[in-house]
C-alpha cells in the first residue's frame, strides 16, 4: 500500500468500536463498522462512522462479502475483546485482511497455559494456581476458561464450597465437567487494570491509563448489611457492567512501566514479532502496593473507553486528547507515512 493511498480503519460493532472509529476519524482515516443488525440503530447515530456493513451474525466477518468490502476499502481491522471472545484464535489467524497487532498473540491470551507461560516469562507475580479441589485451603476464585467477562466465576474456600458451585454450573450446562474450571488463589486488594500501548516504530512503551471494573453483582454487595447478606445466601457474580477511572499513587508508576516493559520483552522472545499496540495487565494491588497479575489482554480493553478525551497519563505525553483508539490510528498513520506499515499489522 502506498503512502498516499486512502486507507480505512474497520472494526466489529461492539466493545470499544466507538472509541476506535472516533480515533481513526480524528487521525484522518475512513471508517468502516461491521455490525449485527440489532446494533445498527445504535451505531448509525455517530457521524464519524463512514460506513456500516450490516451482518446477521458475527460469523459473516469471515465470509467473502465482508472480505470483499474490506479489501475494496483498503481496510485494516482493529481487533478487540468481542472479536477475541467470539472467534477462535485459528479463525483470527486465518482472516485474510490485515489485522492491527500481532495476530499470533491472541492464542496466548485465550489459552490459560500459554497465558501463564507468558506471564511467568515476564517475571510478573501471579496468583498461586490450585491444581486439585482437594488442595483448596484458603479463599480461591474459580474461573471458566476463555474470556467470559467474569460470568460464572465463583468463590470457594474448601472442597465442599467448590463442589456446590461446580454442580450448579454443571446443571446449568455452563461447563461439561469440573475440568473446565480453573482455580486461583484469591488476592485481596484493589483490582486494577493497567492500560499500555507499545509502539514498534519508536520501540517505546506508553502507560495510558488505569481503571477499575464495576461488576454486577459483586460490587453492590457492600450496600447490603451483613445480616441480610447471610439471610439470602447470595452467590456473587462478576459480570462487568462498566468501568471507573483510577489514578495511581505516583510512587507506583515506576513499577508499572517495569512490568509493561518486561511483558513486551517476553512477548518478543516467545511470540515474535511480539506485542504491537495496546495491551492490559490485570491484577490486584495488595496492602503493600505489590501488584499480582491474574490476566493480560493482548489488545485494546474496554476500560480504555473511559478516556476517549485522553487520560491523565496520555495528557503527560501528548498535547492533544489521545484515546487508546486514537493512539492505534496514530501509529498506523505514522507507519503509513514512513512506509513501515508491515511493522504494525500481521
Ligand atoms: P475475564 O477475563 O473473564 O473478563 P477477570 O479475569 O478480569 O475476568 O476477572 C473477573 C473478576 O474477578 C474481576 O473482578 C477481578 O478483579 C476478579 N479476579 C480475577 N482473578 C482474581 C484473583 N486471583 N484474585 C482476586 N480477584 C480476582
Amino acid at each position: 500500500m502506498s503512502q498516499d493511498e486512502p486507507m480505512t480503519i474497520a472494526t466489529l460493532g461492539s466493545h470499544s468500536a466507538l472509541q476506535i472509529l472516533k480515533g481513526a476519524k480524528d487521525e484522518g482515516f475512513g471508517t468502516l463498522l461491521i455490525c449485527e443488525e440489532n446494533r445498527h440503530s445504535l451505531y448509525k447515530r455517530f457521524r464519524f462512522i463512514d460506513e456500516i456493513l450490516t451482518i446477521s451474525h458475527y460469523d459473516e466477518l469471515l465470509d467473502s462479502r465482508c472480505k470483499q468490502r474490506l479489501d475494496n476499502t483498503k481496510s485494516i481491522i482493529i481487533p478487540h475483546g468481542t472479536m477475541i471472545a467470539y472467534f477462535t484464535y485459528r479463525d483470527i489467524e486465518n482472516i485474510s485482511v490485515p489485522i492491527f497487532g500481532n495476530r499470533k498473540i491472541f492464542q496466548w491470551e485465550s489459552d490459560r497455559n500459554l497465558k501463564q507461560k507468558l506471564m511467568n516469562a515476564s517475571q510478573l507475580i501471579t496468583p498461586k494456581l490450585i491444581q486439585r479441589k482437594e488442595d483448596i485451603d484458603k479463599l480461591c476464585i474459580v474461573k471458566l476458561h476463555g474470556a467470559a467477562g467474569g460470568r460464572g466465576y465463583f468463590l470457594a474456600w474448601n472442597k465442599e464450597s467448590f463442589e456446590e458451585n461446580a454442580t450448579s454450573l454443571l446443571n446449568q450446562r455452563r461447563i461439561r465437567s469440573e475440568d473446565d474450571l480453573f482455580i486461583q488463589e484469591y488476592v485481596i486488594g484493589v483490582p486494577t487494570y493497567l492500560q499500555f500501548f507499545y509502539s514498534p516504530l519508536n520501540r517505546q512503551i506508553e502507560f495510558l491509563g488505569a481503571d477499575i471494573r464495576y461488576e454486577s453483582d459483586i460490587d453492590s454487595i457492600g450496600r447490603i448489611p451483613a445480616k441480610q447478606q447471610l439471610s439470602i445466601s447470595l452467590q456473587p457474580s462478576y459480570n462487568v457492567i462498566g468501568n471507573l477511572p483510577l489514578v495511581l499513587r505516583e510512587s507506583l508508576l515506576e513499577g508499572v512501566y517495569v512490568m509493561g516493559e518486561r511483558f513486551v520483552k517476553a512477548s518478543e522472545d516467545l511470540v515474535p514479532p511480539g506485542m504491537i499496540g495496546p495491551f492490559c495487565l490485570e491484577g490486584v494491588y495488595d496492602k503493600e502496593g505489590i501488584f499480582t497479575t491474574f490476566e493480560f489482554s493482548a489488545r485494546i480493553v474496554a476500560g480504555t473507553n473511559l478516556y476517549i478525551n485522553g487520560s491523565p497519563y496520555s495528557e503527560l505525553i501528548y498535547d492533544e486528547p489521545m484515546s487508546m483508539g486514537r493512539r492505534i490510528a496514530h501509529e498506523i498513520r505514522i507507519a503509513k507515512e514512513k512506509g513501515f506499515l508491515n511493522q504494525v499489522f500481521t
Side-chain angles (χ1 to χ4, degrees), residues 141 143 148-150 153 184-187 191 193 213 215 294-295:
I141 182 161
K143 304 182 175 186
Y153 289 14
Q184 225 177 41
E185 166 196 7
Y186 187 90
V187 186
Y193 294 75
R213 290 187 184 172
E215 297 164 332
F294 55 73
E295 287 265 14

Side-chain angles (χ1 to χ4, degrees), residues 162-327:
F162 172 90
E163 283 174 343
E164 190 185 318
N165 287 286
T167 307
S168 150
L169 288 175
L170 280 165
N171 291 341
Q172 296 166 36
R173 296 173 193 268
R174 303 276 306 271
I175 53 170
R176 271 172 300 172
S177 83
E178 286 183 0
D179 295 340
D180 290 343
L181 297 170
F182 180 84
I183 313 169
Q184 225 177 41
E185 166 196 7
Y186 187 90
V187 186
I188 295 174
V190 180
T192 304
Y193 294 75
L194 303 170
Q195 308 161 4
F196 298 91
F197 185 93
Y198 178 69
S199 163
L201 298 179
N202 62 24
R203 301 188 65 79
Q204 259 177 22
I205 193 166
E206 292 163 19
F207 173 57
L208 289 183
D211 70 284
I212 294 186
R213 290 187 184 172
Y214 211 63
E215 297 164 332
S216 187
D217 45 15
I218 185 75
D219 288 316
S220 54
I221 284 176
R223 295 167 64 97
I224 305 170
K227 196 168 153 213
Q228 279 82 356
Q229 283 186 23
L230 291 172
S231 65
I232 54 175
S233 69
L234 209 68
Q235 183 53 251
S237 55
Y238 296 81
N239 190 15
V240 184
I241 298 298
N243 303 75
L244 303 175
L246 183 72
V247 173
L248 296 171
R249 289 174 70 144
E250 196 154 313
S251 57
L252 295 174
L253 288 181
E254 176 57 18
V256 167
Y257 276 96
V258 169
M259 289 190 288
E261 276 158 4
R262 285 184 180 159
F263 183 79
V264 165
K265 170 79 180 68
S267 46
E268 228 167 71
D269 295 343
L270 293 181
V271 207
M275 201 56 243
I276 298 172
F279 67 98
C280 181
L281 296 182
E282 314 180 356
V284 176
Y285 276 107
D286 70 11
K287 58 179 185 280
E288 313 296 342
I290 292 173
F291 191 74
T292 302
T293 311
F294 55 73
E295 287 265 14
F296 67 79
S297 296
R299 36 80 194 170
I300 188 168
V301 288
T304 60
N305 288 340
L306 279 167
Y307 305 120
I308 291 194
N309 208 26
S311 77
Y313 299 105
S314 70
E315 185 74 18
L316 298 171
I317 308 174
Y318 294 97
D319 294 327
E320 54 193 339
M322 187 60 72
S323 68
M324 190 64 84
R326 183 164 183 186
R327 184 65 189 84

Side-chain angles (χ1 to χ4, degrees), residues 57-219:
H57 206 267
Y58 288 142
D59 287 341
E60 289 176 35
L61 176 68
L62 310 175
D63 290 355
S64 57
R65 182 173 75 107
C66 278
K67 178 174 162 32
Q68 209 158 50
R69 194 64 203 129
L70 288 161
D71 283 347
N72 291 346
T73 48
K74 306 260 179 315
S75 282
I76 176 163
I77 297 180
I78 313 297
H80 55 51
T82 303
M83 208 166 140
I84 305 304
Y86 188 79
F87 293 101
T88 66
Y89 72 87
R90 275 188 207 289
D91 287 339
I92 294 179
E93 278 191 23
N94 291 331
I95 290 177
S96 55
V97 172
I99 294 185
F100 180 78
N102 177 358
R103 63 174 88 191
K104 284 201 225 94
I105 209 162
F106 301 131
Q107 182 187 4
W108 293 65
E109 176 176 336
S110 46
D111 178 314
R112 290 241 181 244
N113 297 323
L114 290 178
K115 181 174 261 181
Q116 189 64 37
K117 188 171 167 187
L118 187 47
M119 293 196 293
N120 292 347
S122 309
Q123 299 164 267
L124 297 169
I125 301 170
T126 56
K128 197 172 143 215
L129 303 179
I130 289 99
Q131 303 299 346
R132 302 172 335 132
K133 60 184 176 186
E134 289 76 15
D135 299 336
I136 303 177
D137 59 358
K138 58 163 89 126
L139 188 62
C140 290
I141 182 161
V142 183
K143 304 182 175 186
L144 279 70
H145 283 275
R151 273 204 203 96
Y153 289 14
F154 63 88
L155 300 180
W157 48 96
N158 54 22
K159 181 168 166 271
E160 290 67 36
S161 57
F162 172 90
E163 283 174 343
E164 190 185 318
N165 287 286
T167 307
S168 150
L169 288 175
L170 280 165
N171 291 341
Q172 296 166 36
R173 296 173 193 268
R174 303 276 306 271
I175 53 170
R176 271 172 300 172
S177 83
E178 286 183 0
D179 295 340
D180 290 343
L181 297 170
F182 180 84
I183 313 169
Q184 225 177 41
E185 166 196 7
Y186 187 90
V187 186
I188 295 174
V190 180
T192 304
Y193 294 75
L194 303 170
Q195 308 161 4
F196 298 91
F197 185 93
Y198 178 69
S199 163
L201 298 179
N202 62 24
R203 301 188 65 79
Q204 259 177 22
I205 193 166
E206 292 163 19
F207 173 57
L208 289 183
D211 70 284
I212 294 186
R213 290 187 184 172
Y214 211 63
E215 297 164 332
S216 187
D217 45 15
I218 185 75
D219 288 316

